[in-house]
Amino acid sequence: MLTNKPKTKILVDGGDPNETLRIKSLIGFVDGQTTNPSLIAKNPNIQRLIASGHTLSSEEENNEYKKIVQSISPLVGDAGVSIEVFADLKTTAEKMLAQGQEMFSWIPNAYIKYPCTHEGLRAAQMSVEKGIRVNMTLCFSQDQAAAVYAATMGSKSPVYVSPFVGRLDDRGENGMDLIRNIKKMYEHGDGHVHVLAASIRTVNHLLYSFALEAELATVPAKVLEQWTAKGFPMPDRDFTYKGVDTNGSLLKPIPYKELDLNLPWQSFNIAHELTTKGIQKFVADYESTLGRSA
Ligand code: G3P
């Protein structure tokens, strides 16, 4: 078990309460959990239903999602359980908010995930005004993180922003640079947005998240098991991170941008191709449980 707890909170990135329980017994604690439509689609109960020929109605899917997060909720610490609204590229902020309000009532420690899009940011702004905790997902740029900061100013609870490291690595960009850049940009802020390193694929991603003092990291069980097997290494003062792809080639650095966090959120250039693709993938995975293809 881990004795020297890192400052970075550790969340399980998954959709299966048994997996969360297993990781909890391995590490000794789990600070929180993040879920998303793709991870919920992989939940063993949902998979069993589909394998038996039973495709779900959207109401059944919602009920399954609720049961899953209700089982996970008591297992985790104060970083809570993130629950993602269903949103395609046309979903309005009002529709996202209505889902967010309902999901927020499922468990006492919910964070509601909205995408880093114009409508997602509008939903987040309305949510924090109502005291709903939010986690802004599918973040791929510093501009998006600046917009999250500006849109949620005044939130009573910490707001999470989830930069997706692995998916940037996948297309040859050094995803960890984005974490470093956002952390640096937020040094000029009031501290209300916490960086949640997401799409973590390797133990090295995790160690560099610790070194950068990301407030939180959400990590697949597989990577947490690898970290455990290595005896819970921690980055020392000399730790250096080398952003390389799976072939060992250097990833392209992502440069830091000077952005003014006090500008209105609508003034930031929030469009990002990977956010659009990410939404499309979530929709497709969600629809697959309903026996439709997107
Ligand atoms: O937390 C984000 C995560 O679920 C996405 O990870 O591996 O699909 O990019 P991945």
Side-chain angles (χ1 to χ4, degrees):
M1 284 221 201
L2 176 66
T3 45
N4 191 11
K5 198 170 186 284
K7 268 200 203 154
T8 301
K9 291 183 181 171
I10 298 177
L11 289 74
V12 174
D13 196 21
D16 176 7
N18 288 328
E19 183 184 75
T20 308
L21 203 53
R22 196 176 76 240
I23 296 298
K24 192 177 176 180
S25 54
L26 212 54
I27 304 183
F29 68 91
V30 163
D31 289 308
Q33 173 99 19
T34 55
T35 65
N36 66 39
S38 306
L39 296 167
I40 293 303
K42 284 189 201 139
N43 170 275
N45 278 345
I46 294 192
Q47 282 296 318
R48 255 193 299 278
L49 283 170
I50 293 168
S52 71
H54 179 95
T55 47
L56 285 77
S57 66
S58 44
E59 203 188 338
E60 281 173 319
E61 157 91 26
N62 213 39
N63 282 338
E64 287 300 319
Y65 199 175
K66 185 174 174 177
K67 277 195 263 168
I68 293 166
V69 297
Q70 286 180 337
S71 306
I72 295 172
S73 168
L75 304 176
V76 304
D78 63 1
V81 181
S82 291
I83 313 171
E84 185 152 344
V85 298
F86 170 80
D88 62 19
L89 296 170
K90 293 197 195 119
T91 309
T92 62
E94 287 71 21
K95 287 222 163 102
M96 290 189 211
L97 175 66
Q99 293 178 67
Q101 278 180 301
E102 197 223 315
M103 289 166 156
F104 195 66
S105 73
W106 287 354
I107 50 173
N109 52 353
Y111 275 76
I112 301 303
K113 285 174 93 174
Y114 299 115
C116 281
T117 56
H118 184 273
E119 291 306 289
L121 284 156
R122 242 175 21 88
Q125 189 171 37
M126 294 190 277
S127 295
V128 298
E129 279 164 15
K130 293 179 186 299
I132 294 172
R133 290 178 291 270
V134 303
N135 174 358
M136 299 306 291
T137 190
L138 292 168
C139 172
F140 293 99
S141 74
Q142 212 191 308
D143 276 85
Q144 289 177 328
V148 167
Y149 179 95
T152 58
M153 201 103 82
S155 172
K156 288 192 194 73
S157 316
V159 165
Y160 298 163
V161 65
S162 296
F164 274 32
V165 173
R167 292 192 194 182
L168 284 164
D169 283 13
D170 286 346
R171 63 170 206 177
E173 295 176 53
N174 187 352
M176 286 307 298
D177 280 351
L178 179 61
I179 304 283
R180 194 200 54 212
N181 294 343
I182 296 172
K183 283 291 293 178
K184 183 172 167 189
M185 173 173 72
Y186 284 171
E187 280 170 16
H188 305 288
D190 60 11
H192 82 274
V193 185
H194 291 188
V195 176
L196 195 174
S199 182
I200 295 284
R201 305 266 171 77
T202 64
V203 172
N204 254 355
H205 281 155
L206 179 63
L207 297 191
Y208 194 32
S209 303
F210 292 162
L212 289 171
E213 299 188 1
E215 284 84 357
L216 317 105
T218 187
V219 192
K222 196 176 112 198
V223 177
L224 289 171
E225 280 158 359
Q226 289 165 355
W227 184 52
T228 307
K230 287 176 190 270
F232 305 113
M234 296 295 290
D236 57 21
R237 276 174 194 279
D238 305 322
F239 177 83
T240 50
Y241 174 79
K242 203 168 157 204
V244 287
D245 66 16
T246 42
N247 301 318
S249 308
L250 267 190
L251 295 166
K252 195 167 143 237
I254 302 177
Y256 181 73
K257 255 178 118 170
E258 288 298 339
L259 294 174
D260 181 355
L261 291 172
N262 295 311
L263 291 174
W265 68 264
Q266 295 88 342
S267 68
F268 295 103
N269 177 15
I270 57 162
H272 200 287
E273 189 196 351
L274 290 181
T275 304
T276 307
K277 280 193 175 159
I279 290 173
Q280 287 165 336
K281 167 95 171 69
F282 285 152
V283 171
D285 287 343
Y286 170 78
E287 300 259 325
S288 73
T289 66
L290 309 182
R292 309 179 204 140
S293 47

